[in-house]
Each structure stands twice: as C-alpha cells, then as structure tokens.
Amino acid sequence: MELHELNKLRWHCTRRALLELDITLGRFLDNGFNQLTEPQVKTFIDLVAMEDHDLWALISGKVDAEDPVEIEVIAAIRKH
Amino acid sequence: MSIPVHKYDVVIVGAGGSGLRAALQVAEAGLKTAVLTKVFPTRSHTVAAQGGVAAPLGNVNEDHWMWHMYDTVKGSDWLGDQDAIEFMVRKATECVVELEHYGMPFDRLDNGKIYQRPFGGHSQNFGEKPVNRSCAAADRTGHAMLHAMYQRNVRANTQFFVEWMALDLIRDDSGAVIGVTALDMETGEVSIFHAKAVIFATGGAGRIYASSTNAFINTGDGLGMAVRAGIPLEDMEFWQFHPTGVAGAGVLITEGVRGEGGILRNADGERFMERYAPNLKDLASRDIVSRAMATEIKEGRGCGINKDYVLLDITHLPPETIMKRLPGIREIAIEFAGVDPIQTPIPVVPTCHYQMGGIPTNYRGEVVVPQNGNPSTPVTGFYAAGECACASVHGANRLGTNSLLDLLVFGKSAGESVVEAIKNGLPLRPLPDNAAAPSLARVKRIDTQENGESMFDVRAAMQRIMQLNAGVFRFGDDMKQGVKEILEVAERVKKVGIKDKSMVFNTARVEALELENLIEVAKATMISAENRKESRGAHVRDDAPDTPEHPNGRDDPNWLKHTLWFGSDNHIEYKPVNLIPLTAPSVELKTRTY
C-alpha cells in the first residue's frame, strides 16, 4: 500500500464518531494490519467503511460476524 | 501564487448536528451552501450521543417549558443567560417535531406519540419530582438524527466538501467575516471559500485533556480559528467531567458498576470513599466521587508509576454476576485497560466529557464581541452553534439531553439569522488581496520547520498539564503552575515540525494544524480557570469551599459574570449574565441543591 493510501486509511480508522473505534482501529493499524493477507486487507477496508455503532457491535462481540474472512479480521482486531 | 476561490452565499464549517441543522435552514431557503467537514457527516461525534434530546412535549407526564427553563437555569448554576435559555426551551418542541417530519425514528408510545424517558436534573413543577422529557431513538439518538438531517440536506442541494479542514477565518478591514481558508486533504492544496456569511459548527475540544470521552476529531478547530481572528472565548473554565473513564483511554465505565458493588481503591488498597462519604461511600454523587478521586491523586495516593489514577475494583463480585450484569464493562476493561476485571481492578480517572464555554453568541446564533461599550456586539457575517458556541444556555454546567437540543435550536437559529441577513442585503464583500496569506504561512512553517518538535510529544505534554492542573477538582497552586506550563507548551507548538512533506493525505500536517487549535483552547481553559476564584457548577476549587456565606463556594457578588479570554495577550474581560428572560419571570438566584 502506498504511503498516501495508508495515511488515508489511518484517517478513516482514527477519525471516527466513537472514541472506542479511534483507539481500537488505530492500535490495530500500528500492530496487526501488516500481518493481514490480501483478502483480509480488503475485508478490513470494508469494515472501516461501516457505520460506527455497527462496527463497534462486531468488534466488542455484541454481534457476531458471519463471513469467514470477516470473522478472522475481527478476531485479529480484538487480539491487538 | 494563485489560490482557488470558491464562492458561496453561506459556508458552514462542521457537519455534526448543529452544522447539518444550520445547513438545512439556509439551503432550503435557496441559498448556495457549502459545508466543510474533516470527515463524512455521519462520522461526526454527534453520533456518540445516546441519551436523547430534551423537549417538554408532555407525552408521558405533564410538562411545561417554564419547568424545563427552571431546570436548565439551575443546572447552569445561574451562569446561563436566561433569554437564550427561554428561547431554547420554547423552540424545543418545534425542533423535535420537525426532526420527526424529516424521518427521525423516535421511540414511540402505544398511542403513537413520541416516547419520553426521565433524565437527571429534569423535573416537573420547578424541581418537585422527575419528569420524562428526553426523546430518544433507542441508544442511537445522535446517529439517527444525523442521518435524517444529512438526507434532507442532500435533497436541499447542500454541497459537502468532505475531508476538507478549515484553516482560518477571513475578515475584511471592517472586521466583517467574509470566508475561510481550507485544506483539501486529498490534494494538500489550500483554497479560499468566499461567502456572505460563515457559520461555525465545529463541536468541542475535549482532546485538550489526557483523559477524554471525546473522539479524536474533537480538536476545537473553530475555537482556534476564532481566537486567531481576534474573537474572545467565553466561560472556557467550565468543562463537564465523568468520574470513571478508563485511565489512558477515556472510554467510559458506567456508574452502574459502582451500583453493582464496585469499590474505588487508592494505591494502598484503601476504600477511600469511606472517608469522603461515610454513608453512601462509592455510591455518592458524581461530583463527590470525582473530587475524592482527584484529591487522592493530588495527595500522592494514586496508582501506577506516575500515581495518576485510582482503581475500580469488582474482583470481589462473583464472576457470574460480572458476566451476567456487566458484560459490556468487562469487554471495555479488557479492550482498553488490558485487564480482566474478574481478576484485576480497572484503572480509572475523572474524564473530560463536554465543553460548556465557547465562541460567544447570542440566541440568534450571531457571534458577539465587546465593542464601543456594548459587551455583545454582533460580528458581521459570523455565526456559531452547538458545542463550539456559548449562547450561553449551559452556563457552568449542562443538563443531560440539553446538548442535542442546543445543536438543533441554535443550528436552526443561526441558519434563520443568516437567511434574514442576506435577505436584508448582507453583501458578498470583496476579498482582501492577501486573504490566504496567514494560512499559507502556517502550513509552510510546519512543512519547513527544522529540528522540529514532535507533534505527539507536545500534544501529550499539553494533555498531561491540563489533566493535572485543570481537572474536575482544582487547586489554586496547581492552576498557577498550569498557566506557566501551558504557556511554555504553547511556545513549543510554534516549533512543531513534520517529517512527511507529501501533499496527498498528509495526516501528520493535519494533526500539527489541529494542535495549533487545541493549544488555544487549552490556554483559554487554564487561564480562565485560574482566574475565577469561586466554585460554580463544574468549576470547583479547593480554596473556594462550601461555607454559610458562600454555599457550594459560589460567590455571586463578585463572580456572577461571564469570562471572556482574549488570545492576543491572554487578558480577561467580563460581561454580565443576562438574568432577564424574553417573556418569563426571572429564575431568581438561589443555592443549587438536588
């Protein structure tokens, strides 16, 4: 990923409506993002585009993800 | 160098609740309207508001706007302007009904009317008993509100400039506001937005504190821009805190944890609330718990290497109780404190939540400044609404659910005032030749700074100073020290540099620009707090205690007045509190007790 693309993704991860997501997604970008496979990166970008409450419900475990890759990415986010 | 110039009737900065409501008012009146926003509108921090919006609809039990007014004046500890408060509560029903017509999915009663729930501080019959006044859409009120208003704005042809950061106000020689400069993050280019009127709706600045519930986006951009343009900030000493945010993160731990048996402990493991509130202990009111926590930390009994937090302990509760009654809290503790509360206490600190002060406005949403003996002279072409503005309806403390009402009522009011001014001939005044020069110079300074300070280090220093010296419970010597230290940090902000000099989506540059806004808010807060020698509302000083002469430490003869802080030389002026409502009898001064 080019620097400007990564910067844009960082902006979309750390300038959310919810503080919980700013922290969680920012931390994941720093510590876990570069270990994702290509399909997982694509899924991560789709997740980042979700509404804040819906995404936080997935990450906090209030709602379970269904798509197998999504389950992997959510698990990776939660681990970091 | 040629700078692109975009011409509009109205430019609005910020696309949260107040920005979208203001935009709707002007766009539906047929004015060419631009909204500049750092993020997509439905990612604004208004989304985080869950409690609801206050309106005396009387759908569940009897209610009256005068009762709502009384509660708001009392909540403000009499620092709120009673004309603005009457205006807000009398417009509340109209604004909520409008929102419903825009498609806002409010919860409903069986009879089809909007459901209302009770909320702290809202009462029937002038404090007699609680009233159901909050209108909500489940726990997503702010989210639903933004969606309804965004869609309506799209219909009204409001033009959104998403991922654009406004940099500076443009004023002409007469002082009229005639536009803003803004940075397109996608290209890194600076443009001018030239307009007949500018409305600021940039939200709060809670990120001045180390521990804040505010999302990272809340960097006080409108306040910084106003200060650089010579506009004072009003009542910036007043910030609302929540007692238990996760230390280092700010994410809230609900008071329900203490309700389930959670105990606050200091570094010695002592249940310190027994000393401060022998009867209620950990279940004492929010302000008493916050002050006790701050005192423990101040007196060296905090935990951790820096002794800067206390512990919320639920390890004595059966794991099944925690799993059953507090599952969300366990998740938050694991995620943000790195501890499983079944085994390990949670580090917590009093945490900044809401900014009561801001850019001074009247109830028409016009920005007002002292001029020729009039403390509230409107600045031609300049308007503000929502958390960045100080109307002042929240005074020294805000009632829950009045913030969403504030942004609806004053977003609309600012919009109405702009429509009226343009209808009455407010012109598009000529741009000065050098309109973008100050912004270009700021960007260039950041880009070319040699041996620059790290933005992260300087921001962290600012946040630590604010947390330690202008927190929920304030000590005279700390505030004096805080003023000295924050002015030193302000000098460091002028030397912040960045390594990445690229143009496209250079977030380091944007964060350095945000810090230049945050530091203005931090200075305003620290200096205004040190200056106000009484306790009132959310500003509580150790050296202004509760006495028979000054109940709750409040000193009306000397301090029933608004603070105005001027950034040019850090001086303070005052303006009177308006105790005269528009039509209602004045809510007379008395001691604030609940």
Side-chain angles (χ1 to χ4, degrees):
Chain A
M1 201 176 251
E2 299 282 333
L3 176 65
H4 69 270
E5 289 173 317
L6 196 59
N7 279 343
K8 190 168 185 172
L9 182 60
R10 180 173 296 280
W11 188 255
H12 292 168
C13 285
T14 60
R15 287 300 192 280
R16 310 292 302 199
L18 300 181
L19 174 66
E20 289 86 342
L21 288 175
D22 286 340
I23 297 171
T24 311
L25 297 179
R27 203 162 55 194
F28 179 68
L29 266 191
D30 289 335
N31 301 311
F33 176 71
N34 60 9
Q35 290 150 34
L36 295 184
T37 63
E38 208 170 298
Q40 287 174 334
V41 167
K42 193 177 168 302
T43 297
F44 179 72
I45 290 168
D46 289 344
L47 285 170
V48 168
M50 285 176 68
E51 296 281 0
D52 278 58
H53 286 293
D54 296 335
L55 179 53
W56 179 240
L58 282 174
I59 293 175
S60 65
K62 208 185 288 179
V63 171
D64 291 328
E66 289 176 6
D67 174 77
V69 184
E70 206 169 279
I71 291 169
E72 291 165 13
V73 175
I74 294 290
I77 294 171
R78 286 167 66 94
K79 203 170 81 182
H80 293 88
Chain B
M1 188 176 171
S2 157
I3 304 289
V5 178
H6 308 264
K7 286 190 192 299
Y8 283 87
D9 290 318
V10 188
V11 169
I12 295 163
V13 183
S18 54
L20 290 182
R21 187 62 192 82
L24 196 49
Q25 203 64 29
V26 292
E28 287 192 339
L31 298 176
K32 192 180 171 196
T33 305
V35 176
L36 309 183
T37 171
K38 291 196 291 187
V39 296
F40 193 76
T42 53
R43 288 255 173 90
S44 305
H45 193 47
T46 305
V47 163
Q50 297 184 346
V53 50
L57 304 178
N59 286 356
V60 175
N61 36 34
E62 190 186 356
D63 204 354
H64 195 284
W65 64 262
M66 284 177 73
W67 301 344
H68 188 185
M69 176 173 169
Y70 170 84
D71 295 336
T72 304
V73 173
K74 181 180 169 186
S76 82
D77 217 351
W78 276 266
L79 195 72
D81 287 327
Q82 295 194 22
D83 57 340
I85 293 173
E86 179 180 337
F87 182 83
M88 179 176 79
V89 299
R90 293 188 74 173
K91 288 280 184 184
T93 299
E94 167 190 318
C95 284
V96 165
V97 170
E98 270 172 357
L99 201 55
E100 185 195 33
H101 293 174
Y102 297 160
M104 168 94 174
F106 283 114
D107 295 343
R108 299 201 172 268
L109 296 161
D110 290 342
N111 64 9
K113 290 184 175 178
I114 293 172
Y115 168 76
Q116 297 187 277
R117 58 190 180 204
F119 221 90
H122 291 279
S123 75
Q124 258 182 333
N125 204 18
F126 309 105
E128 203 173 271
K129 58 183 175 181
V131 68
N132 292 35
R133 189 176 285 150
S134 171
C135 313
D139 59 354
R140 294 192 181 191
T141 308
H143 169 95
M145 188 182 272
L146 280 191
H147 273 265
M149 291 199 289
Y150 175 65
Q151 286 162 15
R152 187 88 179 184
N153 265 289
V154 170
R155 193 181 84 159
N157 286 328
T158 301
Q159 292 179 42
F160 288 93
F161 289 78
V162 177
E163 292 169 352
W164 283 67
M165 180 184 183
L167 298 180
D168 286 291
L169 268 180
I170 302 172
R171 301 180 78 175
D172 70 4
D173 289 343
S174 73
V177 167
I178 55 171
V180 295
T181 52
L183 176 81
D184 177 2
M185 294 174 60
E186 190 73 52
T187 64
E189 285 184 353
V190 174
S191 295
I192 288 172
F193 284 77
H194 185 197
K196 296 172 183 170
V198 172
I199 303 176
F200 271 10
T202 58
R207 299 310 305 178
I208 64 168
Y209 285 96
S211 190
S212 171
T213 67
N214 284 200
F216 290 178
I217 198 171
N218 287 15
T219 55
D221 298 337
L223 284 82
M225 285 188 273
V227 171
R228 284 193 295 278
I231 309 288
L233 298 183
E234 180 172 339
D235 292 340
M236 289 303 295
E237 59 271 45
F238 298 102
W239 289 80
Q240 197 165 60
F241 281 72
H242 191 287
T244 52
V246 173
V251 177
L252 279 187
I253 301 282
T254 162
E255 282 155 319
V257 174
R258 281 175 285 131
E260 290 293 339
I263 293 171
L264 289 161
R265 298 190 190 279
N266 60 21
D268 303 325
E270 182 202 5
R271 184 181 193 177
F272 59 82
M273 283 311 300
E274 286 179 334
R275 278 188 279 118
Y276 296 91
N279 294 325
L280 289 174
K281 299 187 177 101
D282 302 275
L283 294 176
S285 66
R286 206 181 254 202
D287 54 339
I288 288 172
V289 171
S290 294
R291 276 174 232 167
M293 292 167 70
T295 304
E296 290 299 296
I297 293 167
K298 159 83 174 162
E299 295 181 355
R301 293 186 292 279
C303 306
I305 301 168
N306 297 320
K307 297 179 175 293
D308 55 0
Y309 60 83
V310 296
L311 295 170
L312 180 56
D313 187 1
I314 52 173
T315 58
H316 54 286
L317 298 180
E320 53 273 24
T321 303
I322 295 173
M323 304 290 274
K324 188 176 163 198
R325 299 223 177 116
L326 304 166
I329 293 311
R330 181 170 181 243
E331 195 61 43
I332 283 173
I334 292 170
E335 186 72 36
F336 299 105
V339 298
D340 184 342
I342 290 175
Q343 286 129 18
T344 312
I346 311 165
V348 290
V349 284
T351 295
C352 160
H353 187 55
Y354 186 86
Q355 162 197 310
M356 267 75 73
I359 301 165
T361 69
N362 57 23
Y363 66 83
R364 294 169 45 81
E366 298 166 327
V367 174
V368 292
V369 295
Q371 202 172 62
N372 302 327
N374 176 2
S376 298
T377 306
V379 177
T380 302
F382 193 23
Y383 305 79
E387 194 170 340
C388 76
C390 182
S392 140
V393 286
H394 308 304
N397 212 349
R398 174 190 65 102
L399 286 192
T401 70
N402 263 354
S403 47
L404 288 185
L405 179 60
D406 170 355
L407 58 82
L408 286 178
V409 170
F410 293 107
K412 179 177 180 181
S413 180
E416 284 177 332
S417 299
V418 166
V419 171
E420 188 185 324
I422 290 176
K423 194 173 147 197
N424 291 336
L426 181 69
L428 186 69
R429 294 162 190 262
L431 273 179
D433 290 340
N434 55 356
S439 301
L440 293 172
R442 284 205 301 128
V443 173
K444 187 177 174 190
R445 203 280 306 154
I446 291 168
D447 283 350
T448 58
Q449 179 72 48
E450 288 186 10
N451 302 317
E453 288 247 29
S454 147
M455 188 283 300
F456 296 101
D457 291 348
V458 179
R459 188 174 62 192
M462 173 195 71
Q463 290 170 332
R464 187 187 57 80
I465 291 164
M466 296 308 295
Q467 190 78 28
L468 284 177
N469 303 302
V472 69
F473 188 34
R474 297 168 173 179
F475 301 84
D477 54 344
D478 285 352
M479 285 188 281
K480 279 198 167 61
Q481 181 67 16
V483 169
K484 182 174 165 285
E485 290 182 11
I486 208 68
L487 293 176
E488 287 167 4
V489 168
E491 292 304 310
R492 292 176 62 192
V493 171
K494 293 177 188 167
K495 294 178 185 129
V496 163
I498 53 174
K499 289 178 186 149
D500 176 8
K501 317 282 185 190
S502 62
M503 293 297 281
V504 178
F505 248 95
N506 185 332
T507 48
R509 184 183 292 126
V510 171
E511 288 191 275
L513 290 162
E514 287 178 334
L515 181 59
E516 292 188 347
N517 295 324
L518 281 167
I519 192 65
E520 298 299 340
V521 182
K523 283 192 291 181
T525 300
M526 198 69 251
I527 292 168
S528 303
E530 194 282 326
N531 180 69
R532 183 176 284 271
K533 306 297 190 230
E534 64 160 357
S535 296
R536 182 184 297 269
H539 174 67
V540 184
R541 294 180 66 117
D542 171 58
D543 54 7
D546 185 15
T547 63
E549 298 78 39
H550 298 300
N552 298 331
R554 201 175 88 191
D555 178 5
D556 289 331
N558 290 306
W559 288 102
L560 183 61
K561 54 191 178 186
H562 296 294
T563 304
L564 290 176
W565 170 83
F566 291 76
S568 54
D569 58 359
N570 292 313
H571 85 276
I572 281 178
E573 296 179 15
Y574 302 100
K575 71 174 182 181
V577 175
N578 189 347
L579 298 171
I580 312 297
L582 298 170
T583 63
S586 179
V587 180
E588 291 186 7
L589 285 163
K590 62 179 177 182
T591 303
R592 179 169 166 263
T593 52
Y594 286 101

